[in-house]
Amino acid sequence: MDEKFSLDSLNDMERDLLGEVGNIGMGRVATAMSDMLSKTVGISVPVVNIVDLCELSDTLGMAEKRVAGILFGLSNDIDGMIMFVMEERFAKEVITVITGDDSADLSSLNEINTSLLQEIANIMAGSYLGAISELADFTIDMSVPYLAVDMLGAIMNIPAVEFGEIGDKVLLIEEQIIGNDSNFDSYLVLIPTPESLKKLLNKVGGIYGINC
């Protein structure tokens, strides 16, 4: 295996494969969210980009925007981390739909709403990774979720500190969650180790008859 292999070294074909993995995974997330919220939820075609970890909040153009970030460590066939980032409007909407409480404040979440957001992220991450597991025949284990509510610029310091040694690039999947009444921006940040990334691309590439 090429020790220099990284997100930054991907060619166009490999990026397209990761985009396909993103499409399949986010489709599963939409189904899970529809079941969870008991309402139809759609997801726009995900946009997959590779960006600098330290510049992620600036890339999104919302460094000072309050968000909920839920981070999971990954192990087994894929090592690294995955983090879902929900804009404040979306997190509050989900809390309201499930609990009926429309007064939730992300700056002072109670224990019930904190657990609720963690469980929602657990379902979303599990759905996304479950799709990858089925596609690639992988076993992927997730750690207990860690929830942080803060400005996006501060949230992004968490993966930078915890996983910065893996590399300075991340896979950013951007999509819009489409409800009956409103749309919300949602982001998924995936930082696999180079070895895990290469293993995933080899497996998925083989399914599509592509040699990575």
Side-chain angles (χ1 to χ4, degrees):
M1 182 180 297
D2 185 359
E3 294 181 355
K4 296 182 179 180
F5 185 84
S6 67
L7 278 170
D8 203 28
S9 68
L10 298 179
N11 58 38
D12 289 343
M13 181 176 61
E14 290 167 335
R15 288 172 184 251
D16 287 344
L17 279 177
L18 286 178
E20 180 61 21
V21 171
N23 283 331
I24 294 170
M26 294 313 297
R28 185 73 64 84
V29 169
T31 299
M33 289 186 61
S34 294
D35 293 341
M36 179 174 54
L37 300 177
S38 299
K39 57 193 290 187
T40 301
V41 173
I43 288 184
S44 64
V45 176
V47 177
V48 180
N49 289 303
I50 296 168
V51 301
D52 289 320
L53 176 58
C54 63
E55 298 176 358
L56 183 55
S57 56
D58 291 332
T59 299
L60 296 178
M62 47 189 249
E64 301 304 315
K65 189 172 184 179
R66 186 180 297 278
V67 299
I70 304 95
L71 181 146
F72 302 83
L74 304 178
S75 57
N76 215 318
D77 282 326
I78 292 184
D79 292 313
M81 64 136 284
I82 187 171
M83 182 166 70
F84 276 96
V85 179
M86 305 179 193
E87 65 169 315
E88 186 170 21
R89 287 190 313 123
F90 175 49
K92 292 176 70 171
E93 172 78 6
V94 169
I95 291 172
T96 299
V97 169
I98 294 178
T99 69
D101 177 10
D102 61 0
S103 63
D105 183 351
L106 289 194
S107 64
S108 57
L109 286 174
N110 60 34
E111 184 177 347
I112 292 175
N113 289 340
T114 295
S115 297
L116 176 59
L117 287 182
Q118 288 176 320
E119 181 57 25
I120 290 167
N122 195 52
I123 292 171
M124 293 173 70
S127 299
Y128 182 85
L129 295 173
I132 295 177
S133 296
E134 290 182 15
L135 180 65
D137 193 24
F138 279 177
T139 298
I140 306 174
D141 297 324
M142 299 190 304
S143 70
V144 173
Y146 171 75
L147 170 68
V149 177
D150 207 328
M151 301 305 172
L152 181 62
I155 292 284
M156 287 301 105
N157 287 331
I158 299 171
V161 170
E162 295 294 327
F163 296 92
E165 72 278 3
I166 295 177
D168 59 357
K169 301 288 184 180
V170 304
L171 185 68
L172 173 66
I173 302 175
E174 305 176 55
E175 72 285 326
Q176 271 205 333
I177 296 172
I178 304 168
N180 294 331
D181 303 317
S182 52
N183 301 341
F184 305 96
D185 294 325
S186 180
Y187 307 93
L188 183 152
V189 179
L190 180 62
I191 309 178
T193 63
E195 294 80 7
S196 298
L197 179 63
K198 185 65 174 177
K199 186 193 302 184
L200 176 62
L201 285 170
N202 283 338
K203 191 75 175 195
V204 177
I207 294 171
Y208 291 97
I210 298 171
N211 184 29
C212 295

mmCIF file of all heavy atoms in Angstrom, residues 110-135:
data_model
loop_
_atom_site.group_PDB
_atom_site.id
_atom_site.type_symbol
_atom_site.label_atom_id
_atom_site.label_comp_id
_atom_site.label_asym_id
_atom_site.label_seq_id
_atom_site.Cartn_x
_atom_site.Cartn_y
_atom_site.Cartn_z
ATOM 1 N N ASN A 110 -31.387 20.783 28.034
ATOM 2 C CA ASN A 110 -31.547 19.935 29.206
ATOM 3 C C ASN A 110 -31.079 18.521 28.880
ATOM 4 O O ASN A 110 -30.750 18.193 27.734
ATOM 5 C CB ASN A 110 -32.994 19.954 29.711
ATOM 6 C CG ASN A 110 -33.994 19.460 28.671
ATOM 7 O OD1 ASN A 110 -33.688 18.566 27.876
ATOM 8 N ND2 ASN A 110 -35.194 20.031 28.674
ATOM 9 N N GLU A 111 -31.067 17.666 29.886
ATOM 10 C CA GLU A 111 -30.533 16.317 29.715
ATOM 11 C C GLU A 111 -31.343 15.509 28.708
ATOM 12 O O GLU A 111 -30.779 14.750 27.902
ATOM 13 C CB GLU A 111 -30.523 15.596 31.065
ATOM 14 C CG GLU A 111 -29.896 14.212 31.028
ATOM 15 C CD GLU A 111 -29.830 13.565 32.399
ATOM 16 O OE1 GLU A 111 -30.048 14.273 33.400
ATOM 17 O OE2 GLU A 111 -29.573 12.343 32.459
ATOM 18 N N ILE A 112 -32.661 15.692 28.711
ATOM 19 C CA ILE A 112 -33.531 14.939 27.796
ATOM 20 C C ILE A 112 -33.229 15.315 26.345
ATOM 21 O O ILE A 112 -33.063 14.447 25.488
ATOM 22 C CB ILE A 112 -35.012 15.197 28.119
ATOM 23 C CG1 ILE A 112 -35.371 14.591 29.472
ATOM 24 C CG2 ILE A 112 -35.907 14.617 27.018
ATOM 25 C CD1 ILE A 112 -36.790 14.892 29.923
ATOM 26 N N ASN A 113 -33.144 16.612 26.062
ATOM 27 C CA ASN A 113 -32.906 17.049 24.686
ATOM 28 C C ASN A 113 -31.484 16.743 24.231
ATOM 29 O O ASN A 113 -31.246 16.477 23.050
ATOM 30 C CB ASN A 113 -33.208 18.538 24.559
ATOM 31 C CG ASN A 113 -34.697 18.838 24.642
ATOM 32 O OD1 ASN A 113 -35.532 17.954 24.424
ATOM 33 N ND2 ASN A 113 -35.050 20.070 24.968
ATOM 34 N N THR A 114 -30.535 16.780 25.162
ATOM 35 C CA THR A 114 -29.170 16.391 24.824
ATOM 36 C C THR A 114 -29.130 14.928 24.400
ATOM 37 O O THR A 114 -28.541 14.577 23.368
ATOM 38 C CB THR A 114 -28.230 16.605 26.027
ATOM 39 O OG1 THR A 114 -28.155 17.998 26.329
ATOM 40 C CG2 THR A 114 -26.828 16.088 25.717
ATOM 41 N N SER A 115 -29.766 14.067 25.183
ATOM 42 C CA SER A 115 -29.818 12.641 24.848
ATOM 43 C C SER A 115 -30.544 12.406 23.533
ATOM 44 O O SER A 115 -30.166 11.534 22.746
ATOM 45 C CB SER A 115 -30.519 11.862 25.972
ATOM 46 O OG SER A 115 -29.795 11.952 27.176
ATOM 47 N N LEU A 116 -31.588 13.206 23.278
ATOM 48 C CA LEU A 116 -32.358 13.072 22.052
ATOM 49 C C LEU A 116 -31.490 13.373 20.836
ATOM 50 O O LEU A 116 -31.485 12.615 19.860
ATOM 51 C CB LEU A 116 -33.565 14.005 22.078
ATOM 52 C CG LEU A 116 -34.424 14.051 20.808
ATOM 53 C CD1 LEU A 116 -34.981 12.677 20.479
ATOM 54 C CD2 LEU A 116 -35.547 15.067 20.965
ATOM 55 N N LEU A 117 -30.745 14.483 20.875
ATOM 56 C CA LEU A 117 -29.879 14.829 19.744
ATOM 57 C C LEU A 117 -28.797 13.777 19.549
ATOM 58 O O LEU A 117 -28.443 13.442 18.406
ATOM 59 C CB LEU A 117 -29.253 16.205 19.960
ATOM 60 C CG LEU A 117 -30.182 17.408 19.803
ATOM 61 C CD1 LEU A 117 -29.410 18.707 20.010
ATOM 62 C CD2 LEU A 117 -30.861 17.416 18.439
ATOM 63 N N GLN A 118 -28.265 13.242 20.629
ATOM 64 C CA GLN A 118 -27.262 12.186 20.506
ATOM 65 C C GLN A 118 -27.853 10.945 19.853
ATOM 66 O O GLN A 118 -27.206 10.310 19.009
ATOM 67 C CB GLN A 118 -26.691 11.838 21.882
ATOM 68 C CG GLN A 118 -25.783 12.910 22.456
ATOM 69 C CD GLN A 118 -25.321 12.581 23.859
ATOM 70 O OE1 GLN A 118 -26.095 12.066 24.678
ATOM 71 N NE2 GLN A 118 -24.082 12.867 24.159
ATOM 72 N N GLU A 119 -29.082 10.602 20.222
ATOM 73 C CA GLU A 119 -29.721 9.427 19.647
ATOM 74 C C GLU A 119 -30.044 9.644 18.176
ATOM 75 O O GLU A 119 -29.904 8.731 17.355
ATOM 76 C CB GLU A 119 -30.997 9.085 20.427
ATOM 77 C CG GLU A 119 -31.732 7.853 19.912
ATOM 78 C CD GLU A 119 -30.882 6.598 19.899
ATOM 79 O OE1 GLU A 119 -29.909 6.529 20.689
ATOM 80 O OE2 GLU A 119 -31.186 5.695 19.107
ATOM 81 N N ILE A 120 -30.479 10.852 17.832
ATOM 82 C CA ILE A 120 -30.750 11.162 16.425
ATOM 83 C C ILE A 120 -29.479 11.011 15.602
ATOM 84 O O ILE A 120 -29.477 10.395 14.525
ATOM 85 C CB ILE A 120 -31.312 12.593 16.291
ATOM 86 C CG1 ILE A 120 -32.730 12.645 16.867
ATOM 87 C CG2 ILE A 120 -31.311 13.047 14.837
ATOM 88 C CD1 ILE A 120 -33.240 14.044 17.073
ATOM 89 N N ALA A 121 -28.388 11.585 16.104
ATOM 90 C CA ALA A 121 -27.114 11.470 15.386
ATOM 91 C C ALA A 121 -26.656 10.020 15.319
ATOM 92 O O ALA A 121 -26.081 9.582 14.315
ATOM 93 C CB ALA A 121 -26.054 12.325 16.069
ATOM 94 N N ASN A 122 -26.921 9.258 16.371
ATOM 95 C CA ASN A 122 -26.565 7.845 16.394
ATOM 96 C C ASN A 122 -27.303 7.090 15.293
ATOM 97 O O ASN A 122 -26.722 6.249 14.584
ATOM 98 C CB ASN A 122 -26.902 7.256 17.762
ATOM 99 C CG ASN A 122 -26.244 5.919 18.005
ATOM 100 O OD1 ASN A 122 -25.037 5.773 17.858
ATOM 101 N ND2 ASN A 122 -27.042 4.933 18.365
ATOM 102 N N ILE A 123 -28.582 7.408 15.113
ATOM 103 C CA ILE A 123 -29.384 6.780 14.061
ATOM 104 C C ILE A 123 -28.882 7.197 12.680
ATOM 105 O O ILE A 123 -28.740 6.369 11.777
ATOM 106 C CB ILE A 123 -30.869 7.143 14.228
ATOM 107 C CG1 ILE A 123 -31.431 6.488 15.494
ATOM 108 C CG2 ILE A 123 -31.680 6.717 13.005
ATOM 109 C CD1 ILE A 123 -32.814 6.959 15.872
ATOM 110 N N MET A 124 -28.581 8.507 12.520
ATOM 111 C CA MET A 124 -28.095 8.995 11.227
ATOM 112 C C MET A 124 -26.745 8.379 10.877
ATOM 113 O O MET A 124 -26.538 7.894 9.755
ATOM 114 C CB MET A 124 -28.001 10.521 11.261
ATOM 115 C CG MET A 124 -29.354 11.223 11.366
ATOM 116 S SD MET A 124 -29.213 13.015 11.620
ATOM 117 C CE MET A 124 -28.585 13.543 10.015
ATOM 118 N N ALA A 125 -25.820 8.387 11.837
ATOM 119 C CA ALA A 125 -24.498 7.819 11.576
ATOM 120 C C ALA A 125 -24.595 6.317 11.339
ATOM 121 O O ALA A 125 -23.936 5.765 10.441
ATOM 122 C CB ALA A 125 -23.564 8.116 12.746
ATOM 123 N N GLY A 126 -25.430 5.640 12.146
ATOM 124 C CA GLY A 126 -25.589 4.209 11.964
ATOM 125 C C GLY A 126 -26.177 3.857 10.610
ATOM 126 O O GLY A 126 -25.776 2.877 9.979
ATOM 127 N N SER A 127 -27.123 4.677 10.143
ATOM 128 C CA SER A 127 -27.724 4.444 8.826
ATOM 129 C C SER A 127 -26.703 4.649 7.717
ATOM 130 O O SER A 127 -26.602 3.843 6.783
ATOM 131 C CB SER A 127 -28.909 5.394 8.618
ATOM 132 O OG SER A 127 -29.909 5.188 9.586
ATOM 133 N N TYR A 128 -25.926 5.723 7.837
ATOM 134 C CA TYR A 128 -24.911 6.015 6.820
ATOM 135 C C TYR A 128 -23.851 4.913 6.777
ATOM 136 O O TYR A 128 -23.532 4.377 5.716
ATOM 137 C CB TYR A 128 -24.266 7.365 7.117
ATOM 138 C CG TYR A 128 -23.241 7.779 6.088
ATOM 139 C CD1 TYR A 128 -23.625 8.434 4.924
ATOM 140 C CD2 TYR A 128 -21.892 7.498 6.268
ATOM 141 C CE1 TYR A 128 -22.689 8.801 3.962
ATOM 142 C CE2 TYR A 128 -20.952 7.854 5.316
ATOM 143 C CZ TYR A 128 -21.355 8.504 4.166
ATOM 144 O OH TYR A 128 -20.423 8.851 3.224
ATOM 145 N N LEU A 129 -23.324 4.576 7.944
ATOM 146 C CA LEU A 129 -22.265 3.568 8.000
ATOM 147 C C LEU A 129 -22.810 2.178 7.690
ATOM 148 O O LEU A 129 -22.093 1.337 7.144
ATOM 149 C CB LEU A 129 -21.608 3.588 9.372
ATOM 150 C CG LEU A 129 -20.851 4.883 9.700
ATOM 151 C CD1 LEU A 129 -20.385 4.867 11.153
ATOM 152 C CD2 LEU A 129 -19.662 5.081 8.767
ATOM 153 N N GLY A 130 -24.091 1.941 8.018
ATOM 154 C CA GLY A 130 -24.699 0.666 7.675
ATOM 155 C C GLY A 130 -24.748 0.456 6.167
ATOM 156 O O GLY A 130 -24.525 -0.660 5.675
ATOM 157 N N ALA A 131 -25.025 1.531 5.441
ATOM 158 C CA ALA A 131 -25.041 1.436 3.978
ATOM 159 C C ALA A 131 -23.651 1.109 3.445
ATOM 160 O O ALA A 131 -23.497 0.294 2.523
ATOM 161 C CB ALA A 131 -25.546 2.750 3.379
ATOM 162 N N ILE A 132 -22.622 1.744 4.023
ATOM 163 C CA ILE A 132 -21.250 1.455 3.608
ATOM 164 C C ILE A 132 -20.890 0.006 3.950
ATOM 165 O O ILE A 132 -20.260 -0.698 3.150
ATOM 166 C CB ILE A 132 -20.262 2.428 4.287
ATOM 167 C CG1 ILE A 132 -20.505 3.857 3.808
ATOM 168 C CG2 ILE A 132 -18.816 2.011 4.010
ATOM 169 C CD1 ILE A 132 -19.616 4.892 4.473
ATOM 170 N N SER A 133 -21.291 -0.437 5.143
ATOM 171 C CA SER A 133 -20.989 -1.804 5.570
ATOM 172 C C SER A 133 -21.574 -2.829 4.609
ATOM 173 O O SER A 133 -20.916 -3.818 4.258
ATOM 174 C CB SER A 133 -21.543 -2.047 6.982
ATOM 175 O OG SER A 133 -20.906 -1.223 7.924
ATOM 176 N N GLU A 134 -22.829 -2.596 4.204
ATOM 177 C CA GLU A 134 -23.478 -3.533 3.285
ATOM 178 C C GLU A 134 -22.826 -3.488 1.907
ATOM 179 O O GLU A 134 -22.613 -4.526 1.278
ATOM 180 C CB GLU A 134 -24.960 -3.199 3.172
ATOM 181 C CG GLU A 134 -25.755 -3.513 4.427
ATOM 182 C CD GLU A 134 -27.234 -3.224 4.266
ATOM 183 O OE1 GLU A 134 -27.674 -3.054 3.110
ATOM 184 O OE2 GLU A 134 -27.944 -3.153 5.285
ATOM 185 N N LEU A 135 -22.496 -2.273 1.453
ATOM 186 C CA LEU A 135 -21.908 -2.126 0.126
ATOM 187 C C LEU A 135 -20.541 -2.785 0.046
ATOM 188 O O LEU A 135 -20.227 -3.493 -0.921
ATOM 189 C CB LEU A 135 -21.796 -0.635 -0.223
ATOM 190 C CG LEU A 135 -21.199 -0.274 -1.588
ATOM 191 C CD1 LEU A 135 -22.113 -0.762 -2.716
ATOM 192 C CD2 LEU A 135 -20.981 1.234 -1.695
#
